Each structure stands twice: as structure tokens, then as C-alpha cells.
Amino acid sequence: MKFTHFNEQNKPTMVDVSIKEPTLRIALAQAVVKLSKQAYLAVKEGTVKKGDVLAVASVAGIMGAKQTPHLIPMCHPLNLDQINIDFELNDEDNTIRVISTAKITAKTGVEMESLCACSIAALTIYDMCKSIDKSIEITDIYLLKKSGGKSGEFERKT
Amino acid sequence: MKFTHFNEQNKPTMVDVSIKEPTLRIALAQAVVKLSKQAYLAVKEGTVKKGDVLAVASVAGIMGAKQTPHLIPMCHPLNLDQINIDFELNDEDNTIRVISTAKITAKTGVEMESLCACSIAALTIYDMCKSIDKSIEITDIYLLKKSGGKSGEFERKT
Amino acid sequence: MKFTHFNEQNKPTMVDVSIKEPTLRIALAQAVVKLSKQAYLAVKEGTVKKGDVLAVASVAGIMGAKQTPHLIPMCHPLNLDQINIDFELNDEDNTIRVISTAKITAKTGVEMESLCACSIAALTIYDMCKSIDKSIEITDIYLLKKSGGKSGEFERKT
Amino acid sequence: MKFTHFNEQNKPTMVDVSIKEPTLRIALAQAVVKLSKQAYLAVKEGTVKKGDVLAVASVAGIMGAKQTPHLIPMCHPLNLDQINIDFELNDEDNTIRVISTAKITAKTGVEMESLCACSIAALTIYDMCKSIDKSIEITDIYLLKKSGGKSGEFERKT
Amino acid sequence: MKFTHFNEQNKPTMVDVSIKEPTLRIALAQAVVKLSKQAYLAVKEGTVKKGDVLAVASVAGIMGAKQTPHLIPMCHPLNLDQINIDFELNDEDNTIRVISTAKITAKTGVEMESLCACSIAALTIYDMCKSIDKSIEITDIYLLKKSGGKSGEFERKT
Amino acid sequence: MKFTHFNEQNKPTMVDVSIKEPTLRIALAQAVVKLSKQAYLAVKEGTVKKGDVLAVASVAGIMGAKQTPHLIPMCHPLNLDQINIDFELNDEDNTIRVISTAKITAKTGVEMESLCACSIAALTIYDMCKSIDKSIEITDIYLLKKSGGKSGEFERKT
């Protein structure tokens, strides 16, 4: 098994995409934040009246997606066409599911941008709730779906 | 329940730490990367002969920790005294556990720096293995332990 | 009249603060965004139900303040103790006044951090309203007040 | 009135430009710096013999324009084709007018890049003159003209 | 002799490339690090068993190349298609030659990206060896070869 | 010979300086840019009337020094007290010697900040002259002198 991210000297390298054609690429990813009941309710109610944790998390996720090539060493710099973040609040287990969508017309995919977006949004929720709850957990970070590019469609089996 | 990160106008704010005294603070955090057998073995063997995924992940985690105040909106800028990343490879379930240690003498804690370090190291492992395995999952990101500061010692119950 | 920011070769230089003692410094600054009635009302109402422009502007201002040494060439890197942004909405002339407060214990002042915070918050309001109003104007950016440091107290005469 | 920068959940979002065609776009913007007589003359003369404040401001404005997507949260990352900054010195009222021109062939406009350029150039003049003059004011930041894109030509009425 | 990087006001400017057509461009550059025998051997052996200095230098060089437009003021932002770093270890004079290759399809060249990559990789080797050797020298940084663009092929005479 | 920048797992690590005391540290470093006669004279004369390459290089060097912890992976984030850049123009061999001075009161040294400053200033001179001269060479990058810290004074033998 050969990694694409190492060169002949076995040193890390950015993969050469110079001869590839740009195509539309979309990647959806997710992260889940597990909160205590108290912290979960503070976020849920806060979005209505006390201060909107999820708006801050959205901004952080969107800005974080734009930092992807400066965070993940072998990622190509890309000019994102869109990045959007949605939240699903689950009252039963006090979790917030962060779902990110990244779009681009480029020679290479946007999985990492989408994964960075939801990870950093989740870490931001963590940061803003940590004074209330020291046992927050971020979990289930993965790619949900991607399209475009040579490797074609991918959809995670649930 | 009042968040510390919103001001009287219910807008996000960076908490005022101007009257706090600097103390030594340490934070350990973790993230777990779940790989397919094939990707796991490629990482494990690669560290010996093909190209060292974990060295790249270490560098990314350390550099990412230094970007924390530019990723997590309400984090204070801090001059880290140390950041270290260790890896535990588990042959039984093909997982890599990333453990980060952050140290500082400052007015505020380094939990977020430590959490950013292990999250970004984990995302880097993901990036370098995604050509082999499209179903990688990052999970169990949480604080293991922290010391220093007014809120005192914290150790996660296992 | 000699600038402090040029050296003997008349080239720009970062002022030497190595022998200064750190003291608490506070700087308040402001910027004013002039909107059309329509855009002004969209922001005002949006903060309640459609999407909170001012929360995004707060986050941008706080993150922008942390970028000050990477934006303003001769600024010293500083670890802000606090940055806060308040908004005054004026129904009579459809203006939003952005007021930023920066605090630090350091060898040099935080005027530029405070000015960057309110400027970038104002530019963010501009960006989010520009699809509604192409004639937005940002005006009256100045220091309101500062304390700490050798040059002592300053308060702008109104 | 609906903002384009909020999604269905009323959270901030980067607008989807994936189906738009790239066209040439140009945006001119301005900012005005009001100085005391003394500071104004120091800048004016300094450009000749003591140290060139306006050269430093140009560099800051150009570099700041390139940081736009990392400063203004919902801005798309763009590869600027040009950014230029001109200065008009007005002896009558001791003001410096900063005029920025940004060009790009892209799916979305460069107003914010041009506005960031002149704002950061103006803040840099402020920084370099603040030891001489504590009452500097930055004012009249607005778009002068733009062309390209679906919304067509815009020229500010004077 | 007129510089292309100054405008009519003799202030620095980013050259206008808006009417140029994107073409494939490649640039090879190099830097040489001169070490003491002891430091040289530590790097050489370390790559095998103690810790891989050159892997860290590769990552730094690749990430540094992506920062070029934020380091070199008049550089255009560019989306690199590839960046690769190779090392030649010379036992006779204890030198490490760093060779970088940058590729892009763009309106302007990638010389500076390639030069930044090898310079920052060299500085990283310096940093990691400086506890062993305080007299390290970096030398012979230059462009080896470039292709693409109006000015055509260039190959340095040896 | 053991590197300080690798941990027990032989992965790169940021050295722990948490128990060290801050002391004043100064580091002088240099880089030399070798130009053709034509490019050298253009820089020399330009500083007087056509556009000041060296002012741009100074700004780039100062801003680059502030980016050091984000360029050199294992460097600690530091709040520089001063960074200054001087130039020596040598008519005999058409070289420009860039000399940088970095100062700080910190737990660790500023060699890398000083070396980044002169390297990036030199690369900026390269960038601005490359349309005139394709054979520019940057050479003799090294530490001239440092003081402060446990390892004490160092002065390079000439």
C-alpha cells in the first residue's frame, strides 16, 4: 500500500494535480458534540435570548474551512465556492450534530475543508460551554457524502 | 445558567482576564482515529519505512495549537511553553489515539490549545490516509486532565 | 518632528520596548456605519429573528483585534487580556456605532488593537449589508479613551 | 428584506457561487485620514527625506487586501489579479485620501478586498503618526466604483 | 531601469495580471545548509532512527510555500498545484541541499513560492540543529529553472 | 547526539520551557543578496527617487519575524520587544547585506525570529528585482551574535 502523500525520498509531499481538470466537487461532513443537560439547554435557550453559541460556531467553522491549507499540511490551497454549517439539536441525548457542506470547482476535493469546518465549529461550541461543563466530548467526525472528481460519488453507509 | 462568553448585549465577548495572576497550567487532551485494517497498517509500517504519517501529524498538531486563538474566536492569545503529541497504536481495533500535552504560565488555561492540537493531528492522519480509506472516523475528542488556575485540578473519570 | 517608527537609515522599524515595564493598558475606540433605512432595519430586526449581523461583526472584530500585529506592520505582538465590542443603534439617522474595548498588561499600548477591532466589525456589517445597500459608509473611526503607559490618560474631547 | 448571508436556520453562511461564471471585476474604494497640521507635514515631508509612511501604508494595504477572507467572515477566498493604492494629500485640511483599486477574474466581487486595503492602509498611517497626534480620525470609507458581475456597474454619486 | 512593482506615485504595487492567460508554470529553486560534522551526522542518522529532521523541514517548506503571498508583500495569491521538496546530503562537506519544485496553472509565476519553500525548509533544519551547532550557515539560495509564462524558459548556468 | 526537538517516541516536539525564567535576549543575524550591476543600481537609486525597495523589504522582514512561530514548526510563540533591519550596500560587488536585530524578554531565544526577518527581507528584494535580474542569489544567512539565556553570549568568528 503506497501513500500518495510521500515522494520517492519517503518525505511528505503535496500531490501534483497540475494535469487534472477542474470539476464541481461537494463534500458533506459531520461532527457531534455531547453536552451535559445543563450545557445543552444553555446553548438551546441561548440561541433564542442569551447569546447565540451556534452563530459563533458557524462563523468559526466557516473561517476555519478557509484556513484548511494552513492547518492540514498537504492540502492544496483552494478557493471555496461555498461553505455552510447546519446544526441538529437532539433533546433526547443532549447532543448537537454539526453538518458542514463545502463546494468548489477545482482540481482536487474539499473533504478536508468540510471536515475542518465541522471540527472547528464543534471545538468552538466546546470552548463556549466549557465553563459550564468540563466533560464535553466531540465524536463521530466523518465524511457523509462527496461528489465530483475521478473517484466519483461516495456516500457513507449508516 | 449564564455563559461567560457573552456580554450584557448578549453578543460574544472575550472574557476579561486582566486582573488574574499568571500560573502554570497544563492540559492533556485526546482524539482517536479509527482506520481500516489496511490504512492502519500503512501508517504503522510507514512510520518505519515508507513515510512517516505520524511525524507530519505531530507537526500539524503543534502548529495548529499555535493557531488556536485564530481558530476559536473567543480564545485569548497565549504564548505556549510547550506542546507535545504522543500516539498510541492499537492493533486490536486499528485505532490511533492522539494524546496532546500543552503547558503555559498564563492568566487563562490551555484546554483549547491541547484540544486543537490533537484534533488537527487527527485530521492530518485522516488527510494522509483518505486515498486508502474513505470511511475514517475521528472520535472521543475530550480533555483528559488539567491543572492550574482558579478552577483547580480536573481529571476525567474513565 | 521625528517619527518613532523609522530608524537611523530612515527605514521603518518596530520601536524597542525591551526596557519598559508592563502596565495595565485600556483603549476604547469607535467606528460608525451609516446605512440606508432599509439596511438599518434589516440589521436591527435581524438580530431578533432573521440572522444576527451584529453577532458576526462581534466575532470578526474580536478575531481581527488578535490579527493586529499581522495587519499593522510596526505593531508589537501582544497577548490581549480582553476585547469586547458593543453596538449603539440609532434609529434617527440609521447608524450603528461600534465601540471596542481592549485591555492588556504589556509594555506597549492597545490603541491599534481596539481600532482594528471596531474597523473590522464595521467592515463586516458592510459586507453583510452590501447586497441590500451599495452606498454604505464607515466613518468616525477614532480613539475614545486610553489609560496606562508613560503617556498617561487620554480622553477625546467631544 | 432577506440577507444573503444567513441560511435557512438563520445562521451565517458563505453564499453559494458554484454555478456563477468568472468575469473581470474591478472595485475602487477610499478612506480619508484626518491629521493635525504637525502630523500631516511630518508625513508629507517624511516621504521625501525622513522615512516613508505612505510606502509602509501601501504595503500594509496590499497585504491586508490579501487577508480579506480571513478578516471578513463570509468573504470568499479570491486570488487577486491586482491591488494598487494611491494617496491624495490635501494641504488645505491636512487630510490624506487613500484610494484602492482591486481587480480579479472571479465568480464574486472584490469590494471587500478594496475596502480592506484602504482601511488597513489608513490604520497604518494612524499607527505611524499616533506618537505625534492622538486625535487622528479615519473617515469616509466607502466604495467609489465597481464593475463586473451580475449587478453591473456602480458609481457613487458625489 | 523601471521596477514593475512601483506605481506612478513611486509607491509599491501588486502588478496587474488581469489580462494575462493562465499557463502551466514550474519553478525549481534551491538552498544549501552548511552544518558541522556532528550536526550533519545527527540529521543523517536521525532520519533513520532518532527523529526525522528532514520530514519536519519538508512539512515546513510546503506550508511555507502556501504562505508566500502573506510573506512577500507584492506576490499574487496563487493556488499551488504542487509543491515538493527533495534533499541531497553531501558527506564530503556536511551540507544538505534543499531542492523545491512548485507547479501551478496561473497568470503569474511560482518562483517566489519555490524560493520560500526551500528557504523555510532550510531555516527549519537550522532551528532543529541549533542546539548542537551555533555556526550553521544557509547559502546558495537561487532559482534553478523555470518554465511557462511570457518570459519563457530559464535555466541557471552552473 | 540527541536533538532537543524530538520526544521519546522520536516524533517532533516543542521543547518544554515552562520552568525557565524570562531574561532579555538579543539576536543579530544577516543575509546577503547578490545582484547584477543593473539591478543593484536600480535598488540604490530607487531608494532615492523611483520607489523604495528596501522600505518594502524592511516591512516584509519585520512582519515575517512576527510570523516565525507559524513558519518554523517547533518555535515557541514569542512577543517580540523589537525587530529592526539595516542594510549595507556594497558598490564593489553589487551586494546588499541585510542585518536584523531581534529583542525580547522571554524564556527562549530569538535567533529564529532574527534569521526569518533577514531571510524574508532578502527574498523580498529578490521578488522586487526579479523582473530585471533572473540570477539573483541569496547567501551567507547566519547568526552574527546573541546574548541572554543559559547558553550565554555567542559571537560568530569572522
Side-chain angles (χ1 to χ4, degrees):
Chain A
M1 205 64 214
K2 182 79 187 119
F3 286 113
T4 51
H5 276 120
F6 290 97
N7 60 18
E8 284 165 29
Q9 295 196 335
N10 294 330
K11 295 294 172 251
T13 194
M14 188 194 278
V15 174
D16 185 354
V17 299
S18 59
I19 58 162
K20 296 176 80 174
E21 284 301 311
T23 57
L24 177 64
R25 288 143 187 281
I26 303 176
L28 276 81
Q30 72 154 45
V32 172
V33 188
K34 292 188 183 174
L35 297 161
S36 66
K37 186 96 208 155
Q38 191 187 28
Y40 174 79
L41 290 176
V43 172
K44 194 178 174 186
E45 286 159 18
T47 62
V48 185
K49 50 188 166 152
K50 273 187 277 176
D52 191 345
V53 169
L54 302 184
V56 182
S58 277
V59 175
I62 290 167
M63 295 183 86
K66 292 189 274 186
Q67 290 293 354
T68 304
H70 304 304
L71 294 174
I72 310 299
M74 302 304 136
C75 275
H76 293 82
L78 295 178
N79 290 350
L80 286 167
D81 278 346
Q82 191 208 15
I83 180 88
N84 180 64
I85 291 177
D86 286 310
F87 300 96
E88 284 178 16
L89 279 80
N90 189 337
D91 290 353
E92 278 166 51
D93 58 1
N94 306 313
T95 59
I96 299 172
R97 188 176 172 224
V98 185
I99 301 158
S100 52
T101 307
K103 283 194 198 171
I104 201 170
T105 303
K107 297 175 175 181
T108 182
V110 280
E111 294 100 305
M112 293 316 301
E113 280 72 10
S114 198
L115 286 157
C116 280
C118 59
S119 301
I120 291 167
L123 286 162
T124 299
I125 297 173
Y126 188 116
D127 181 46
M128 298 190 83
C129 295
K130 72 181 193 298
S131 65
I132 304 178
D133 178 3
K134 281 190 176 47
S135 299
I136 302 166
E137 196 172 326
I138 299 171
T139 192
D140 295 298
I141 299 178
Y142 48 72
L143 186 66
L144 290 166
K145 207 169 155 170
K146 84 183 191 76
S147 63
K150 207 180 59 184
S151 69
E153 300 285 317
F154 165 83
E155 189 157 357
R156 189 180 175 95
K157 290 165 210 143
T158 42
Chain B
M1 205 65 212
K2 182 79 188 119
F3 286 113
T4 52
H5 277 119
F6 291 98
N7 60 18
E8 284 165 31
Q9 296 195 333
N10 292 331
K11 294 296 172 249
T13 193
M14 187 194 278
V15 175
D16 185 354
V17 298
S18 59
I19 57 162
K20 295 175 81 174
E21 284 302 311
T23 57
L24 177 64
R25 288 140 187 282
I26 304 176
L28 276 81
Q30 72 153 46
V32 171
V33 188
K34 292 188 184 174
L35 297 160
S36 66
K37 185 95 209 155
Q38 190 187 28
Y40 174 78
L41 290 177
V43 173
K44 193 177 175 187
E45 286 159 18
T47 60
V48 185
K49 51 188 166 157
K50 274 188 276 177
D52 192 346
V53 169
L54 301 183
V56 182
S58 277
V59 175
I62 290 166
M63 294 182 86
K66 292 188 274 187
Q67 291 293 355
T68 303
H70 305 303
L71 295 173
I72 309 300
M74 302 305 136
C75 275
H76 293 82
L78 295 178
N79 290 350
L80 286 167
D81 277 346
Q82 190 208 15
I83 180 86
N84 180 64
I85 291 177
D86 285 310
F87 299 98
E88 284 178 16
L89 280 79
N90 189 337
D91 290 353
E92 277 167 50
D93 58 1
N94 307 313
T95 58
I96 299 173
R97 189 177 172 224
V98 185
I99 301 158
S100 52
T101 307
K103 283 193 197 171
I104 202 171
T105 302
K107 296 175 176 182
T108 182
V110 280
E111 293 99 307
M112 293 317 300
E113 281 72 9
S114 198
L115 286 156
C116 280
C118 59
S119 301
I120 291 167
L123 286 163
T124 300
I125 297 173
Y126 189 116
D127 180 47
M128 298 190 83
C129 295
K130 74 181 192 298
S131 65
I132 304 178
D133 178 5
K134 280 190 178 45
S135 300
I136 302 166
E137 198 173 325
I138 299 172
T139 192
D140 295 298
I141 299 179
Y142 48 71
L143 187 66
L144 291 166
K145 205 170 155 171
K146 84 182 190 76
S147 63
K150 206 181 59 183
S151 69
E153 299 286 316
F154 165 82
E155 189 158 358
R156 190 181 175 95
K157 289 167 211 140
T158 42
Chain C
M1 205 65 213
K2 182 77 189 122
F3 287 115
T4 52
H5 277 119
F6 291 98
N7 60 19
E8 285 165 30
Q9 295 196 334
N10 293 330
K11 294 294 171 251
T13 193
M14 187 193 279
V15 175
D16 185 353
V17 298
S18 58
I19 57 162
K20 296 175 80 175
E21 284 301 310
T23 57
L24 177 65
R25 287 140 187 282
I26 303 176
L28 275 82
Q30 72 154 45
V32 172
V33 188
K34 291 189 183 173
L35 298 160
S36 66
K37 185 96 208 155
Q38 191 186 30
Y40 174 78
L41 290 177
V43 172
K44 194 179 174 185
E45 286 158 18
T47 61
V48 184
K49 50 185 167 164
K50 274 189 276 178
D52 192 345
V53 168
L54 301 183
V56 181
S58 277
V59 175
I62 291 167
M63 294 183 86
K66 293 188 273 185
Q67 291 294 352
T68 304
H70 305 304
L71 295 174
I72 310 301
M74 301 305 135
C75 275
H76 293 83
L78 294 178
N79 291 349
L80 287 167
D81 278 346
Q82 190 207 15
I83 180 86
N84 180 63
I85 290 176
D86 285 311
F87 300 97
E88 283 178 16
L89 280 80
N90 189 336
D91 289 353
E92 278 166 50
D93 58 0
N94 306 312
T95 58
I96 299 172
R97 187 177 173 227
V98 185
I99 302 158
S100 51
T101 308
K103 283 193 196 170
I104 200 170
T105 301
K107 297 176 177 182
T108 183
V110 281
E111 294 99 309
M112 294 317 300
E113 280 72 8
S114 197
L115 286 157
C116 280
C118 59
S119 301
I120 291 166
L123 287 163
T124 300
I125 297 173
Y126 189 116
D127 180 48
M128 299 190 82
C129 294
K130 73 180 193 298
S131 65
I132 304 179
D133 178 4
K134 280 191 178 43
S135 300
I136 302 165
E137 197 173 325
I138 299 170
T139 192
D140 295 298
I141 299 178
Y142 48 72
L143 186 66
L144 291 166
K145 205 170 156 172
K146 82 181 191 79
S147 63
K150 206 180 59 184
S151 69
E153 299 285 317
F154 166 83
E155 188 156 358
R156 190 180 174 95
K157 289 164 212 142
T158 42
Chain D
M1 205 65 213
K2 181 81 187 117
F3 286 114
T4 51
H5 277 120
F6 290 98
N7 60 19
E8 285 166 29
Q9 296 195 335
N10 293 330
K11 294 295 172 251
T13 192
M14 188 194 279
V15 174
D16 186 353
V17 299
S18 58
I19 58 162
K20 296 176 80 175
E21 284 301 311
T23 57
L24 177 64
R25 290 142 186 282
I26 304 177
L28 274 81
Q30 72 154 45
V32 172
V33 188
K34 292 187 183 175
L35 297 160
S36 66
K37 186 95 207 153
Q38 190 186 28
Y40 174 78
L41 291 176
V43 172
K44 195 179 174 185
E45 287 159 18
T47 62
V48 185
K49 50 187 169 159
K50 274 189 275 178
D52 192 345
V53 168
L54 302 183
V56 182
S58 278
V59 175
I62 291 167
M63 295 183 86
K66 293 189 273 187
Q67 290 294 353
T68 304
H70 305 304
L71 295 174
I72 309 301
M74 302 304 136
C75 275
H76 293 82
L78 295 178
N79 291 349
L80 287 167
D81 277 347
Q82 190 208 15
I83 179 86
N84 181 62
I85 290 175
D86 284 311
F87 300 97
E88 284 179 16
L89 280 79
N90 189 337
D91 289 353
E92 277 167 52
D93 59 0
N94 307 312
T95 58
I96 299 172
R97 188 177 173 225
V98 185
I99 301 158
S100 52
T101 308
K103 283 194 196 170
I104 200 169
T105 303
K107 297 175 175 181
T108 183
V110 281
E111 294 99 307
M112 295 316 301
E113 280 72 9
S114 198
L115 286 158
C116 280
C118 59
S119 302
I120 291 167
L123 287 163
T124 300
I125 297 174
Y126 189 116
D127 180 47
M128 298 189 84
C129 295
K130 72 180 194 296
S131 65
I132 304 179
D133 179 2
K134 282 192 175 46
S135 300
I136 303 166
E137 197 173 325
I138 299 171
T139 191
D140 294 298
I141 299 178
Y142 48 73
L143 186 66
L144 291 166
K145 206 171 157 169
K146 82 183 192 78
S147 63
K150 206 180 60 183
S151 69
E153 300 286 316
F154 165 84
E155 188 156 357
R156 189 180 176 94
K157 290 166 211 143
T158 42
Chain E
M1 205 65 215
K2 181 80 188 116
F3 287 114
T4 52
H5 277 119
F6 291 97
N7 60 19
E8 285 165 30
Q9 296 195 335
N10 293 329
K11 294 296 172 251
T13 193
M14 188 194 277
V15 175
D16 186 353
V17 298
S18 59
I19 58 163
K20 297 176 80 175
E21 283 301 311
T23 57
L24 177 64
R25 288 141 187 282
I26 304 176
L28 275 81
Q30 73 153 45
V32 171
V33 188
K34 292 188 184 174
L35 298 161
S36 66
K37 185 96 209 152
Q38 191 186 27
Y40 174 78
L41 290 177
V43 173
K44 194 178 175 186
E45 286 158 19
T47 61
V48 185
K49 50 188 167 154
K50 274 189 276 178
D52 191 346
V53 168
L54 301 183
V56 181
S58 277
V59 175
I62 290 167
M63 294 183 86
K66 293 188 273 187
Q67 291 294 353
T68 304
H70 305 304
L71 295 174
I72 309 299
M74 302 304 135
C75 276
H76 294 82
L78 295 178
N79 290 350
L80 286 166
D81 277 346
Q82 190 207 16
I83 180 85
N84 180 64
I85 291 176
D86 285 310
F87 300 97
E88 284 178 17
L89 280 80
N90 189 336
D91 289 353
E92 278 167 50
D93 58 1
N94 307 312
T95 58
I96 299 172
R97 190 177 172 222
V98 185
I99 301 158
S100 51
T101 307
K103 283 193 196 170
I104 201 170
T105 301
K107 297 175 176 182
T108 183
V110 281
E111 294 99 308
M112 294 316 300
E113 280 72 9
S114 198
L115 285 157
C116 280
C118 60
S119 301
I120 291 167
L123 286 163
T124 300
I125 297 174
Y126 189 116
D127 180 48
M128 298 190 83
C129 295
K130 73 180 191 299
S131 65
I132 305 179
D133 178 3
K134 280 190 179 45
S135 300
I136 302 166
E137 198 173 325
I138 299 172
T139 191
D140 295 297
I141 299 179
Y142 48 71
L143 186 65
L144 292 165
K145 206 172 156 170
K146 84 182 191 77
S147 63
K150 206 180 59 183
S151 69
E153 300 285 318
F154 166 83
E155 188 157 358
R156 190 182 175 93
K157 289 165 210 142
T158 42
Chain F
M1 205 66 212
K2 182 81 188 116
F3 287 114
T4 51
H5 277 120
F6 291 98
N7 60 18
E8 284 165 31
Q9 296 195 334
N10 293 330
K11 295 294 172 250
T13 193
M14 187 193 279
V15 174
D16 186 353
V17 297
S18 59
I19 58 163
K20 296 176 81 175
E21 284 302 310
T23 58
L24 177 64
R25 286 141 188 282
I26 303 176
L28 276 81
Q30 72 154 44
V32 172
V33 188
K34 292 188 183 175
L35 297 160
S36 66
K37 185 95 207 155
Q38 190 187 29
Y40 174 79
L41 290 177
V43 172
K44 194 178 174 187
E45 286 159 17
T47 61
V48 185
K49 52 186 164 156
K50 274 188 276 176
D52 192 346
V53 169
L54 301 184
V56 182
S58 277
V59 175
I62 290 167
M63 294 183 85
K66 292 189 273 187
Q67 290 293 354
T68 304
H70 305 303
L71 295 173
I72 309 300
M74 302 304 136
C75 275
H76 293 82
L78 294 178
N79 291 350
L80 286 167
D81 277 346
Q82 189 208 16
I83 180 87
N84 180 63
I85 291 177
D86 285 310
F87 300 96
E88 283 178 18
L89 280 79
N90 189 336
D91 290 353
E92 279 167 49
D93 58 1
N94 307 311
T95 58
I96 299 171
R97 187 176 173 224
V98 186
I99 302 158
S100 52
T101 307
K103 283 195 198 170
I104 201 170
T105 303
K107 297 175 176 180
T108 182
V110 281
E111 293 99 307
M112 294 317 301
E113 280 72 10
S114 198
L115 286 157
C116 280
C118 60
S119 301
I120 291 166
L123 286 162
T124 300
I125 297 173
Y126 189 115
D127 180 47
M128 299 190 82
C129 294
K130 72 181 193 297
S131 65
I132 304 179
D133 178 3
K134 280 190 176 48
S135 300
I136 302 165
E137 197 173 326
I138 299 171
T139 191
D140 295 297
I141 299 177
Y142 47 74
L143 186 66
L144 289 166
K145 206 169 153 171
K146 81 182 193 77
S147 63
K150 206 180 60 184
S151 70
E153 299 286 315
F154 165 84
E155 189 157 358
R156 189 180 176 94
K157 289 166 210 141
T158 42

